[in-house]
Amino acid sequence: MEYLISLYGQLPHNHTSTTAAASGDFHYFPFPFLALDKLSLSIQGALSLLCTASWLCAAAGRGAITRAGSGPGPGTTQATPHNSTAWPPSELPYYGRSPPVYPSPPANGSSPLWAAAHARAQNLTSQLTLPELVNLTRGFPGPCVGNTGAVPRLSIPSLCFYDGPSGIRGQEFVSAFPAGIHVAATFDHDLLYRYGAALGAEFRGRGINVALGPVAGPLGRVARGGRNWEGLSNDPYLAGQGLGLITRGMQDAGVIATPKHFLLNEQEFRRRWEDGVGEAVSSNVDDRALHELYVFPFMNALHEGAGAVMCSYQRANHSYACQNSKLLNGVLKTELGFEGFVISDWDGQMSGVASANAGLDVVMPGAGFWGEKLGDAVRNGSVAEERVRDMANRVLAAWFRLEQDEGYPPTSIWPSDETRDGEVVDVQGDHAELIREVGTAGTVLVKNVNGTLPFGNRTRFLCVYGYDAVVKAAPWGNPDRYSGGYDVNAGWNTFNGTMVTAGGSGGNTPGYVVSPFQALQERVARDRGVLRWDFHSEDPGTRYAHADACLVFINAYASESFDRPSLEDAPSDRLVRNVAAMCANTIVVVHSAGIRTVDAWILHPNVTAVLFAGLPGQESGHSLVSLLYGDTSPSGRLPYTVAKTETDYAQLLNSSVSGADYFPDSDFAEGLHIDYRAFDRDGVAPRFEFGFGLSYTTFAHERLEVRFVDTAQTSVAEYPDPGVAVVQGGHPELWDAVAVVKCVVVNTGERESTEVVQLYVGVPGDDTPVRQLRGFRRTRLLSPGQTAKLEFELTRRDLSVWDVVAQQWRLRRGEYKVWVGASSRDFRLNGTLVVS
């Protein structure tokens, strides 16, 4: 071993790019260790024990792989090289911090969902030559943001990969859906599934094989995280339910879903290697938090049959995520039995041999460190041919399982600056209706003094203020990115126009946007009322004495490539206060890409109503006006905690690394305690807690029942049966219902509405959060006096903790506390379940 380490120390670390690929838009490097082709596989196996996802990463010439403005990520930021002779510092002290797991387990169709598909795939790959196998593992230039190689002689086409999680980006005649964080705020299982099915239908209609979404990484650990809005919630249960249902919906429509980013990509600052600056940030997390928080949502997507998973840019316990054998070979492919393929984030591959052996299956958008070099690695024994065949098997099995081999629509993707070849392919269908419904259901009413909302028949004179009330005057500087390209949006705290999506690869491209002002104009015109407006002034000078209400529209922006500079905005806050000073009935609407603190004005006596309107997609104005006028009663719930001040988030506020470190660290020292779990642990009162949201009516929760599914049951095994084989999604018994909770909800108010009921569980032990969300139901529409009976199933996984010694989910003995209510701090019923 000492000899091998010394040999590694003689390898060059600062590479310059070699031959550019034919497309001219990215560079690749040869394998740094091909000179060691006489090393046997047994030595390579020994190396696997030396370090994590592998020691090749340091010698991989990472910084020159760039493809700015294309695919899911922006290009690497270049910096002035360091002139010190000691630069870069040694990374040997960091080896072994992520446990090595080798070899990469081959997929064999052991999950019933995958058996037939893998049999067909293996039959096909047995006929492929090594170069043909390699062709299926890499990207090529083509119409999509990612394009695999084809094998024409066997009728294997190039597969099309495309963004994004809330709509097909950069195309025409497609829909702009609400963002992930907005649909999660509906707390509605049916809407989550229908959302996924509609997304999938549009991707399939344009001949896209692989949709790059949905998102649960980032989970949302960092309050200012730039990409939190693409995901669903910082609660793993809510995120998991959403990720699973959206995945099922997308794949039921026939497109391969790609849950991302696996794993621990919780900040944008230093998320990638930077030339002359240093390595990407290392997300350092303990094994229990890894499973109970960050892996947890992905389990739902895998359980629903996800065909692909995208690995992330940053390091995890000092090993890059796309070559981290613990995450890919160990967690994803062994513990969770994943049978599909792992794709790199765009230019996220950091080495050749290491990433292949650690479980990466497809590199995008080009050859990366593979291409012909992967064939060389097989021939010199660095990578087993069976590993490359497994990569191809996984890709083709996903293709077969989604039945894309017959009758799949042709790819219809055109750059906006090129002439379209052929007729328009319009995939919008009737999705505007769903977008409007989700937009309304995901809007959260957090303040409503004395029934300010909904507007009544006498509300006919409205004043409208704020930059967010109307569409941006010129949003198409980058035709692929409605909210601004990476070259212009860095550091934005607000968006100069109404926000329906946010920035980066997760954004979408609306064919139209119904602004709040447009929808208000339509309604006021119908009612023959009056509107006055000022979208520009921070301190509007004219007071309208006869106005019934003043609406102020502000927003909070976020984007891939940078973390949010703040959770507040001084000019926007001044606007609200200035309007409230002259208008006794001021209603504030906040379109936000995540948490937005409001204590600068929330207690002002003239601020009578506040709505968190999220990122509602192209039907934004219609969704909002439906709530303002009472056509629909609000039922949205906050998928995160809104603190009184930014400092209340403590170490979870911002990126927790120093820009000066060559090996920057982000230590997840809080373990399981993020968002409301941290507020509960620390006794900090939030402004608005997780799960909070008001209605236009009131509800009573009654008749709680907590019991085992089997009423004769007296005990439950601590661990799943080790004799039962793991299938995709984990051990099958993790999904078995152990207990059931029932209650009754009564509409005790005077308006019809839906109610969101939430179930929280306290797991025994002083090392667990006080309570954790473990169920939710959005009722049907209830008239005054009407009741609904609700039932929640608690699975083995819902009640278990990750045992770091047994390396298995453990159902602890003891008393489990159960709460049912309207938020994480508003409990109407409580009970217990004793597990012996």
Side-chain angles (χ1 to χ4, degrees), residues 557-730:
Y557 184 76
S559 175
E560 179 182 6
S561 80
F562 65 92
D563 292 313
R564 294 171 61 189
S566 179
L567 302 181
E568 57 191 25
D569 178 63
S572 300
D573 291 340
R574 287 194 295 268
L575 170 63
V576 173
R577 291 195 300 267
N578 289 336
V579 173
M582 67 176 184
C583 184
N585 190 22
T586 298
I587 298 159
V588 184
V589 178
V590 185
H591 285 112
S592 64
I595 298 166
R596 210 294 189 177
T597 58
V598 294
D599 266 49
W601 42 262
I602 192 68
L603 298 179
H604 194 293
N606 289 348
V607 174
T608 54
V610 178
L611 295 115
F612 275 67
L615 297 172
Q618 66 192 35
E619 287 283 322
S620 173
H622 289 152
S623 296
L624 178 66
V625 167
S626 176
L627 290 172
L628 293 175
Y629 283 86
D631 301 334
T632 308
S633 179
S635 62
R637 298 294 186 264
L638 291 174
Y640 45 72
T641 296
V642 177
K644 294 179 178 178
T645 68
E646 286 194 336
T647 56
D648 286 343
Y649 294 103
Q651 78 278 8
L652 298 176
L653 173 64
N654 209 0
S655 307
S656 54
V657 296
S658 165
D661 294 336
Y662 190 87
F663 297 108
D665 287 299
S666 181
D667 295 325
F668 292 25
E670 73 285 343
L672 302 174
H673 293 91
I674 64 172
D675 199 71
Y676 70 89
R677 302 161 178 236
F679 282 75
D680 289 345
R681 178 198 61 191
D682 300 336
V684 177
R687 173 55 60 199
F688 302 115
E689 70 271 19
F690 173 89
F692 176 77
L694 300 175
S695 173
Y696 290 156
T697 188
T698 56
F699 293 93
H701 300 180
E702 301 174 351
R703 291 185 284 178
L704 179 70
E705 179 185 352
V706 183
R707 62 171 176 81
F708 288 106
V709 170
D710 181 354
T711 55
Q713 193 168 15
T714 58
S715 64
V716 184
E718 275 192 278
Y719 300 100
D721 183 351
V724 174
V726 169
V727 296
Q728 180 160 314

Side-chain angles (χ1 to χ4, degrees), residues 20 59 65 97 179 360 388 433 483 486 523 562 579 610 614 631 660 667 681:
I65 305 177
R97 297 195 183 188
L360 183 67
V388 179
E433 295 179 15
S483 295
Y486 300 120
R523 189 62 173 253
F562 65 92
V579 173
V610 178
D631 301 334
D667 295 325
R681 178 198 61 191

Side-chain angles (χ1 to χ4, degrees), residues 99-113:
V101 180
Y102 295 96
S104 185
N108 54 20
S110 58
S111 298
L113 282 174

Side-chain angles (χ1 to χ4, degrees), residues 318-507:
H318 285 272
S319 174
Y320 275 98
C322 285
Q323 60 188 44
N324 188 307
S325 65
K326 166 66 175 178
L327 295 184
L328 302 184
N329 289 341
V331 176
L332 184 60
K333 292 185 175 181
T334 301
E335 289 178 22
L336 303 182
F338 181 51
E339 303 254 31
F341 61 91
V342 178
I343 177 178
S344 72
D345 204 339
W346 265 227
D347 295 323
Q349 187 192 39
M350 303 300 289
S351 65
V353 171
S355 61
N357 290 331
L360 183 67
D361 300 307
V362 175
V363 59
M364 283 289 167
F369 295 101
W370 288 356
E372 293 180 2
K373 307 301 181 185
L374 183 57
D376 292 342
V378 170
R379 285 184 283 272
N380 68 34
S382 300
V383 176
E385 182 172 346
E386 289 75 12
R387 172 79 268 267
V388 179
R389 195 170 300 278
D390 180 56
M391 298 175 188
N393 280 336
R394 289 172 176 272
V395 172
L396 293 176
W399 182 59
F400 281 129
R401 198 174 79 74
L402 273 296
E403 300 179 351
Q404 295 184 353
D405 57 311
E406 293 185 10
Y408 204 73
T411 299
S412 302
I413 297 294
W414 300 278
S416 58
D417 59 351
E418 291 184 11
T419 301
R420 184 186 297 114
D421 181 18
E423 296 182 2
V424 168
V425 179
D426 186 342
V427 294
Q428 297 171 97
D430 60 356
H431 298 154
E433 295 179 15
L434 174 64
I435 291 169
R436 186 183 305 192
E437 183 179 358
V438 173
T440 299
T443 297
V444 186
L445 178 68
V446 297
K447 184 177 182 179
N448 194 26
V449 176
N450 297 326
T452 295
L453 295 176
F455 293 148
N457 293 332
R458 295 182 180 179
T459 307
R460 299 181 63 203
F461 187 163
L462 298 176
C463 297
V464 180
Y465 301 100
Y467 55 89
D468 183 77
V470 290
V471 294
K472 186 174 182 177
W476 303 111
N478 183 325
D480 284 354
R481 304 185 190 279
Y482 169 79
S483 295
Y486 300 120
D487 52 339
V488 298
N489 74 353
W492 286 2
N493 203 30
T494 58
F495 181 70
N496 190 20
T498 197
M499 263 179 59
V500 299
T501 185
S505 62

